[in-house]
Amino acid sequence: MKRVFSYFIAICFIWIGIMLIVNSLNIDGFELNFGWTYIYPLFFVVAGAVLLGNAVIKKGGRWMIGTFLLVFGGLLLADRFGLVDFTFWNVFKLWPLILIFIGISLFRGLHFLTVYSGSSKKRKKDRWYAFSEPKKNDAPFTIGDMEKKGNWNLEPMNISTMVGNFYLDLTDAYIPDEETEINIRSLAGDVTILIPGEVEFQAKAAAKAGDINILDEESAGINTSLFYKTDQFETATKKLFIDIRLKAGSIRVDRV
């Protein structure tokens, strides 16, 4: 990203210099502030081009973000030249790009959904830490739904996906006698987690649009969130830290 900002700053200086020169020529109808409307769209274009170029050269990387920024910035520039009618807040009109990205990724055999586990000892100070990057030895799952029930071993996990439904039934699962973290991030989907009655837990759930149900507490609508902590959570040795964040969908955390 440092290279992106360097390129952007360079373009800003070049553009400002050009605008000052043109302004000094006293061209009829030209206003100096005219040039500023082009600068912030250029940032998106430059950032998108750099990220997409790196993804192509390295055969990986953030090609989706690069493509989005390039398209977004390009449409903003096209609006400035009167070619299309597109403003910054029309960004929501680009949601079909998600479907295009999913289709391209499936065609190329890439993975969107990554599930990985690891020790949580280094992150105990801040339970609601930022989503971390997977390690090289993390085992990926393909895009789609995830269901775990019956006899299975629960380990600390981070889940990141574009679209998918998640069903985690911990009723008969082996839950270690320690603190275990479950973190789920998704653009769209439904999440259901069933927890045995004797296991204490702390849950934080948020959704840009959708509904949340944790035991007897509910929240629904736009930019909704809910926090819940069981009564004996602080003194328990076996307990769960649950953090779920969706762009759209429903979240249910319940005891059985």
mmCIF file of all heavy atoms in Angstrom, residues 22 25 34 39 42-43 60 91 103 106 108 111-112 116 119 126 139 143 164 168 193 200 231 233 236 244 246 252-253:
data_model
loop_
_atom_site.group_PDB
_atom_site.id
_atom_site.type_symbol
_atom_site.label_atom_id
_atom_site.label_comp_id
_atom_site.label_asym_id
_atom_site.label_seq_id
_atom_site.Cartn_x
_atom_site.Cartn_y
_atom_site.Cartn_z
ATOM 1 N N VAL A 22 -2.213 25.689 -16.658
ATOM 2 C CA VAL A 22 -3.384 26.031 -17.462
ATOM 3 C C VAL A 22 -4.074 27.275 -16.899
ATOM 4 O O VAL A 22 -4.531 28.149 -17.646
ATOM 5 C CB VAL A 22 -4.365 24.839 -17.522
ATOM 6 C CG1 VAL A 22 -5.651 25.227 -18.262
ATOM 7 C CG2 VAL A 22 -3.704 23.642 -18.198
ATOM 8 N N LEU A 25 -2.566 30.574 -17.916
ATOM 9 C CA LEU A 25 -2.791 30.967 -19.304
ATOM 10 C C LEU A 25 -4.085 31.750 -19.478
ATOM 11 O O LEU A 25 -4.395 32.194 -20.589
ATOM 12 C CB LEU A 25 -2.813 29.714 -20.200
ATOM 13 C CG LEU A 25 -1.506 28.903 -20.244
ATOM 14 C CD1 LEU A 25 -1.695 27.652 -21.092
ATOM 15 C CD2 LEU A 25 -0.361 29.757 -20.773
ATOM 16 N N PHE A 34 -11.729 23.284 -10.765
ATOM 17 C CA PHE A 34 -12.209 22.251 -11.682
ATOM 18 C C PHE A 34 -11.347 20.984 -11.594
ATOM 19 O O PHE A 34 -11.824 19.871 -11.665
ATOM 20 C CB PHE A 34 -12.201 22.814 -13.109
ATOM 21 C CG PHE A 34 -12.422 21.791 -14.189
ATOM 22 C CD1 PHE A 34 -13.695 21.359 -14.498
ATOM 23 C CD2 PHE A 34 -11.348 21.269 -14.900
ATOM 24 C CE1 PHE A 34 -13.895 20.419 -15.496
ATOM 25 C CE2 PHE A 34 -11.545 20.334 -15.890
ATOM 26 C CZ PHE A 34 -12.816 19.915 -16.187
ATOM 27 N N ILE A 39 -9.148 14.476 -8.659
ATOM 28 C CA ILE A 39 -8.041 13.905 -7.897
ATOM 29 C C ILE A 39 -8.442 12.664 -7.108
ATOM 30 O O ILE A 39 -7.772 11.635 -7.160
ATOM 31 C CB ILE A 39 -7.430 14.982 -6.973
ATOM 32 C CG1 ILE A 39 -6.673 15.991 -7.819
ATOM 33 C CG2 ILE A 39 -6.501 14.351 -5.941
ATOM 34 C CD1 ILE A 39 -5.890 17.008 -7.044
ATOM 35 N N LEU A 42 -8.877 9.599 -9.087
ATOM 36 C CA LEU A 42 -7.584 9.073 -9.533
ATOM 37 C C LEU A 42 -6.950 8.170 -8.488
ATOM 38 O O LEU A 42 -6.249 7.211 -8.819
ATOM 39 C CB LEU A 42 -6.638 10.230 -9.855
ATOM 40 C CG LEU A 42 -6.817 10.905 -11.218
ATOM 41 C CD1 LEU A 42 -5.915 12.122 -11.321
ATOM 42 C CD2 LEU A 42 -6.535 9.931 -12.345
ATOM 43 N N PHE A 43 -7.186 8.469 -7.214
ATOM 44 C CA PHE A 43 -6.639 7.617 -6.160
ATOM 45 C C PHE A 43 -7.170 6.194 -6.284
ATOM 46 O O PHE A 43 -6.416 5.223 -6.194
ATOM 47 C CB PHE A 43 -6.975 8.180 -4.782
ATOM 48 C CG PHE A 43 -6.633 7.230 -3.673
ATOM 49 C CD1 PHE A 43 -5.323 7.035 -3.286
ATOM 50 C CD2 PHE A 43 -7.631 6.510 -3.032
ATOM 51 C CE1 PHE A 43 -5.004 6.150 -2.271
ATOM 52 C CE2 PHE A 43 -7.322 5.619 -2.011
ATOM 53 C CZ PHE A 43 -5.998 5.440 -1.632
ATOM 54 N N GLY A 60 -1.709 -13.979 -7.761
ATOM 55 C CA GLY A 60 -2.438 -14.063 -6.493
ATOM 56 C C GLY A 60 -2.690 -12.662 -5.998
ATOM 57 O O GLY A 60 -2.743 -11.725 -6.777
ATOM 58 N N VAL A 91 -21.931 3.752 -5.333
ATOM 59 C CA VAL A 91 -21.088 2.567 -5.175
ATOM 60 C C VAL A 91 -21.920 1.308 -4.958
ATOM 61 O O VAL A 91 -21.519 0.208 -5.353
ATOM 62 C CB VAL A 91 -20.102 2.780 -3.999
ATOM 63 C CG1 VAL A 91 -20.853 2.974 -2.699
ATOM 64 C CG2 VAL A 91 -19.121 1.625 -3.898
ATOM 65 N N GLY A 103 -18.132 -16.090 -9.550
ATOM 66 C CA GLY A 103 -18.078 -16.903 -10.765
ATOM 67 C C GLY A 103 -16.665 -17.083 -11.269
ATOM 68 O O GLY A 103 -16.257 -18.198 -11.627
ATOM 69 N N LEU A 106 -14.726 -19.445 -8.886
ATOM 70 C CA LEU A 106 -15.102 -20.849 -9.067
ATOM 71 C C LEU A 106 -14.503 -21.401 -10.352
ATOM 72 O O LEU A 106 -14.057 -22.551 -10.419
ATOM 73 C CB LEU A 106 -16.625 -20.979 -9.096
ATOM 74 C CG LEU A 106 -17.351 -20.737 -7.773
ATOM 75 C CD1 LEU A 106 -18.855 -20.780 -7.972
ATOM 76 C CD2 LEU A 106 -16.934 -21.756 -6.731
ATOM 77 N N ARG A 108 -11.774 -20.389 -11.772
ATOM 78 C CA ARG A 108 -10.327 -20.516 -11.609
ATOM 79 C C ARG A 108 -9.937 -21.504 -10.529
ATOM 80 O O ARG A 108 -8.784 -21.820 -10.343
ATOM 81 C CB ARG A 108 -9.728 -19.145 -11.247
ATOM 82 C CG ARG A 108 -9.866 -18.105 -12.334
ATOM 83 C CD ARG A 108 -9.331 -16.775 -11.883
ATOM 84 N NE ARG A 108 -7.923 -16.858 -11.509
ATOM 85 C CZ ARG A 108 -7.256 -15.890 -10.909
ATOM 86 N NH1 ARG A 108 -7.890 -14.772 -10.572
ATOM 87 N NH2 ARG A 108 -5.982 -16.022 -10.620
ATOM 88 N N HIS A 111 -10.221 -20.267 -3.678
ATOM 89 C CA HIS A 111 -10.976 -20.474 -2.449
ATOM 90 C C HIS A 111 -11.348 -19.134 -1.847
ATOM 91 O O HIS A 111 -10.517 -18.261 -1.682
ATOM 92 C CB HIS A 111 -10.158 -21.267 -1.422
ATOM 93 C CG HIS A 111 -9.796 -22.636 -1.889
ATOM 94 N ND1 HIS A 111 -10.721 -23.620 -2.114
ATOM 95 C CD2 HIS A 111 -8.599 -23.165 -2.199
ATOM 96 C CE1 HIS A 111 -10.102 -24.718 -2.510
ATOM 97 N NE2 HIS A 111 -8.815 -24.462 -2.574
ATOM 98 N N PHE A 112 -12.603 -18.979 -1.487
ATOM 99 C CA PHE A 112 -13.039 -17.798 -0.752
ATOM 100 C C PHE A 112 -13.102 -18.096 0.733
ATOM 101 O O PHE A 112 -12.782 -17.275 1.570
ATOM 102 C CB PHE A 112 -14.436 -17.351 -1.208
ATOM 103 C CG PHE A 112 -14.416 -16.457 -2.388
ATOM 104 C CD1 PHE A 112 -14.729 -16.948 -3.638
ATOM 105 C CD2 PHE A 112 -14.079 -15.125 -2.254
ATOM 106 C CE1 PHE A 112 -14.719 -16.111 -4.730
ATOM 107 C CE2 PHE A 112 -14.068 -14.294 -3.339
ATOM 108 C CZ PHE A 112 -14.389 -14.784 -4.582
ATOM 109 N N TYR A 116 -9.309 -21.665 9.696
ATOM 110 C CA TYR A 116 -8.034 -22.035 10.261
ATOM 111 C C TYR A 116 -8.074 -21.874 11.767
ATOM 112 O O TYR A 116 -8.866 -21.147 12.314
ATOM 113 C CB TYR A 116 -6.897 -21.210 9.646
ATOM 114 C CG TYR A 116 -7.099 -19.732 9.670
ATOM 115 C CD1 TYR A 116 -6.531 -18.947 10.675
ATOM 116 C CD2 TYR A 116 -7.857 -19.091 8.684
ATOM 117 C CE1 TYR A 116 -6.706 -17.582 10.680
ATOM 118 C CE2 TYR A 116 -8.032 -17.728 8.692
ATOM 119 C CZ TYR A 116 -7.449 -16.986 9.690
ATOM 120 O OH TYR A 116 -7.619 -15.638 9.709
ATOM 121 N N SER A 119 -3.435 -21.199 18.341
ATOM 122 C CA SER A 119 -3.457 -20.840 19.754
ATOM 123 C C SER A 119 -3.963 -19.425 19.945
ATOM 124 O O SER A 119 -3.686 -18.531 19.162
ATOM 125 C CB SER A 119 -2.042 -20.964 20.333
ATOM 126 O OG SER A 119 -2.014 -20.506 21.651
ATOM 127 N N ASP A 126 -7.078 -8.751 24.040
ATOM 128 C CA ASP A 126 -8.136 -8.088 23.277
ATOM 129 C C ASP A 126 -8.946 -9.140 22.556
ATOM 130 O O ASP A 126 -8.557 -9.650 21.517
ATOM 131 C CB ASP A 126 -7.541 -7.101 22.262
ATOM 132 C CG ASP A 126 -8.617 -6.331 21.520
ATOM 133 O OD1 ASP A 126 -9.786 -6.473 21.899
ATOM 134 O OD2 ASP A 126 -8.265 -5.606 20.582
ATOM 135 N N ALA A 139 -5.511 -24.925 6.725
ATOM 136 C CA ALA A 139 -6.198 -25.732 5.732
ATOM 137 C C ALA A 139 -7.466 -25.037 5.258
ATOM 138 O O ALA A 139 -8.334 -24.727 6.051
ATOM 139 C CB ALA A 139 -6.547 -27.104 6.331
ATOM 140 N N ILE A 143 -15.668 -22.693 -1.082
ATOM 141 C CA ILE A 143 -16.798 -21.809 -0.847
ATOM 142 C C ILE A 143 -18.076 -22.628 -0.674
ATOM 143 O O ILE A 143 -18.264 -23.665 -1.320
ATOM 144 C CB ILE A 143 -16.959 -20.815 -2.019
ATOM 145 C CG1 ILE A 143 -18.065 -19.811 -1.711
ATOM 146 C CG2 ILE A 143 -17.218 -21.530 -3.326
ATOM 147 C CD1 ILE A 143 -18.153 -18.700 -2.730
ATOM 148 N N GLY A 164 -22.200 -17.980 2.432
ATOM 149 C CA GLY A 164 -22.315 -19.331 2.962
ATOM 150 C C GLY A 164 -23.111 -19.370 4.249
ATOM 151 O O GLY A 164 -23.229 -18.371 4.959
ATOM 152 N N LEU A 168 -23.103 -24.875 13.459
ATOM 153 C CA LEU A 168 -22.168 -25.496 14.389
ATOM 154 C C LEU A 168 -22.939 -26.003 15.597
ATOM 155 O O LEU A 168 -23.414 -25.224 16.421
ATOM 156 C CB LEU A 168 -21.103 -24.488 14.833
ATOM 157 C CG LEU A 168 -20.286 -23.807 13.734
ATOM 158 C CD1 LEU A 168 -19.305 -22.823 14.358
ATOM 159 C CD2 LEU A 168 -19.552 -24.815 12.890
ATOM 160 N N ILE A 193 -25.297 -21.391 15.941
ATOM 161 C CA ILE A 193 -24.388 -22.064 16.859
ATOM 162 C C ILE A 193 -25.192 -22.557 18.052
ATOM 163 O O ILE A 193 -25.839 -21.758 18.737
ATOM 164 C CB ILE A 193 -23.253 -21.128 17.329
ATOM 165 C CG1 ILE A 193 -22.444 -20.620 16.140
ATOM 166 C CG2 ILE A 193 -22.345 -21.856 18.308
ATOM 167 C CD1 ILE A 193 -21.325 -19.677 16.528
ATOM 168 N N GLU A 200 -20.150 -22.014 29.437
ATOM 169 C CA GLU A 200 -20.319 -20.566 29.498
ATOM 170 C C GLU A 200 -19.753 -19.930 28.225
ATOM 171 O O GLU A 200 -18.795 -20.449 27.635
ATOM 172 C CB GLU A 200 -19.604 -19.998 30.721
ATOM 173 C CG GLU A 200 -20.031 -20.617 32.035
ATOM 174 C CD GLU A 200 -21.506 -20.400 32.332
ATOM 175 O OE1 GLU A 200 -22.014 -19.301 32.025
ATOM 176 O OE2 GLU A 200 -22.134 -21.323 32.881
ATOM 177 N N ASP A 231 -23.922 -15.760 32.909
ATOM 178 C CA ASP A 231 -23.708 -15.330 34.295
ATOM 179 C C ASP A 231 -22.387 -15.819 34.876
ATOM 180 O O ASP A 231 -21.699 -15.093 35.595
ATOM 181 C CB ASP A 231 -24.865 -15.803 35.176
ATOM 182 C CG ASP A 231 -26.191 -15.163 34.773
ATOM 183 O OD1 ASP A 231 -26.153 -14.059 34.179
ATOM 184 O OD2 ASP A 231 -27.255 -15.759 35.043
ATOM 185 N N PHE A 233 -19.666 -16.725 33.294
ATOM 186 C CA PHE A 233 -18.599 -16.693 32.286
ATOM 187 C C PHE A 233 -17.240 -16.343 32.890
ATOM 188 O O PHE A 233 -16.220 -16.977 32.590
ATOM 189 C CB PHE A 233 -18.957 -15.686 31.188
ATOM 190 C CG PHE A 233 -17.873 -15.496 30.176
ATOM 191 C CD1 PHE A 233 -17.711 -16.405 29.143
ATOM 192 C CD2 PHE A 233 -16.994 -14.424 30.246
ATOM 193 C CE1 PHE A 233 -16.706 -16.245 28.201
ATOM 194 C CE2 PHE A 233 -15.993 -14.251 29.312
ATOM 195 C CZ PHE A 233 -15.850 -15.166 28.285
ATOM 196 N N ALA A 236 -15.603 -19.244 34.908
ATOM 197 C CA ALA A 236 -15.512 -20.562 34.267
ATOM 198 C C ALA A 236 -14.136 -20.765 33.632
ATOM 199 O O ALA A 236 -13.490 -19.814 33.179
ATOM 200 C CB ALA A 236 -16.602 -20.703 33.216
ATOM 201 N N ILE A 244 -19.213 -12.804 15.636
ATOM 202 C CA ILE A 244 -19.814 -13.042 14.329
ATOM 203 C C ILE A 244 -20.145 -11.701 13.688
ATOM 204 O O ILE A 244 -20.803 -10.860 14.306
ATOM 205 C CB ILE A 244 -21.108 -13.886 14.438
ATOM 206 C CG1 ILE A 244 -20.837 -15.176 15.210
ATOM 207 C CG2 ILE A 244 -21.669 -14.194 13.055
ATOM 208 C CD1 ILE A 244 -22.094 -15.955 15.537
ATOM 209 N N LEU A 246 -21.604 -10.133 9.969
ATOM 210 C CA LEU A 246 -22.152 -10.353 8.630
ATOM 211 C C LEU A 246 -22.501 -9.025 7.983
ATOM 212 O O LEU A 246 -22.817 -8.054 8.666
ATOM 213 C CB LEU A 246 -23.422 -11.216 8.699
ATOM 214 C CG LEU A 246 -23.356 -12.576 9.400
ATOM 215 C CD1 LEU A 246 -24.727 -13.232 9.368
ATOM 216 C CD2 LEU A 246 -22.314 -13.462 8.757
ATOM 217 N N ARG A 252 -27.930 -16.799 14.956
ATOM 218 C CA ARG A 252 -28.610 -17.404 16.094
ATOM 219 C C ARG A 252 -27.589 -18.150 16.947
ATOM 220 O O ARG A 252 -26.837 -19.006 16.446
ATOM 221 C CB ARG A 252 -29.677 -18.393 15.617
ATOM 222 C CG ARG A 252 -30.386 -19.125 16.769
ATOM 223 C CD ARG A 252 -31.179 -20.293 16.268
ATOM 224 N NE ARG A 252 -31.636 -21.150 17.350
ATOM 225 C CZ ARG A 252 -31.948 -22.448 17.215
ATOM 226 N NH1 ARG A 252 -31.835 -23.027 16.035
ATOM 227 N NH2 ARG A 252 -32.370 -23.153 18.254
ATOM 228 N N VAL A 253 -27.538 -17.786 18.228
ATOM 229 C CA VAL A 253 -26.704 -18.477 19.199
ATOM 230 C C VAL A 253 -27.624 -18.927 20.325
ATOM 231 O O VAL A 253 -28.277 -18.102 20.966
ATOM 232 C CB VAL A 253 -25.580 -17.577 19.744
ATOM 233 C CG1 VAL A 253 -24.753 -18.334 20.776
ATOM 234 C CG2 VAL A 253 -24.697 -17.073 18.612
#
